[in-house]
Amino acid sequence: MSDVIWNYTPWMWVAVTIVCIVIESLTFSLTTIWFACSAFLMVFLSLTAIPLKWQLLIFIVLSLALLIFTRPLVMRKFRTRIPTNSDRLIGKKIKLLAAITPEEKGSAKVNGIVWTVAASPETPLPLAEGTECTISSITGNTLVVSAQA
């Protein structure tokens, strides 16, 4: 019986690899990819005379080690923000075309484009039409501004 299991063990690890890759491709969470890498290595280890219970232990230890030690490095790499053209607007001074009140967002024209404008949380409202403001950030398609002192 053990010979039968041993003959199919590499294929079991191939199946585990494929399942983990499919799950990772559906979730993009960077967790099951480490299990897929470990399972792929286990395909080659399973060709040796290592018993299945030890293969499972090696798989679990290797997967957890990869998950704990490499995932944070990869996540940090993916978190780097790529600047866009709209990032050049931050810090630019603008004049409001429409007032910003607690109930309504305003608008402003920047580089020929009319933007929706909201006040930053620390800016006292209302801000009247024609008020000079500085763009502090961009959230979606809304400029977040703070009033000039």
Side-chain angles (χ1 to χ4, degrees):
M1 182 66 180
S2 65
D3 288 338
V4 173
I5 292 174
W6 189 81
N7 289 335
Y8 292 109
T9 306
W11 293 108
M12 177 194 73
W13 290 117
V14 169
V16 171
T17 302
I18 292 169
V19 168
C20 289
I21 289 172
V22 168
I23 292 170
E24 184 64 39
S25 67
L26 295 173
T27 62
F28 296 111
S29 61
L30 284 178
T31 50
T32 54
I33 193 68
W34 309 118
F35 290 88
C37 292
S38 297
F40 181 71
L41 291 174
M42 294 310 300
V43 170
F44 301 104
L45 271 177
S46 68
L47 296 173
T48 64
I50 299 173
L52 183 60
K53 65 180 176 183
W54 290 109
Q55 289 180 32
L56 291 171
L57 181 66
I58 293 168
F59 169 71
I60 291 169
V61 169
L62 186 59
S63 297
L64 291 176
L66 286 172
L67 182 67
I68 292 167
F69 295 112
T70 59
R71 185 176 187 268
L73 298 173
V74 173
M75 290 300 286
R76 196 173 313 129
K77 181 72 173 167
F78 281 140
R79 249 186 241 131
T80 57
R81 190 173 185 287
I82 299 170
T84 62
N85 288 338
S86 61
D87 290 328
R88 287 191 245 161
L89 300 177
I90 296 173
K92 190 170 186 166
K93 296 184 185 332
I94 59 168
K95 285 194 178 186
L96 296 177
L97 295 176
I100 303 174
T101 66
E103 298 84 26
E104 297 277 330
K105 292 182 179 179
S107 63
K109 194 172 200 176
V110 183
N111 297 340
I113 299 171
V114 177
W115 288 76
T116 302
V117 181
S120 62
E122 63 273 358
T123 303
L125 294 177
L127 293 176
E129 179 181 327
T131 303
E132 191 170 286
C133 300
T134 302
I135 301 170
S136 55
S137 65
I138 301 172
T139 304
N141 63 350
T142 301
L143 301 177
V144 180
V145 298
S146 55
Q148 297 294 317

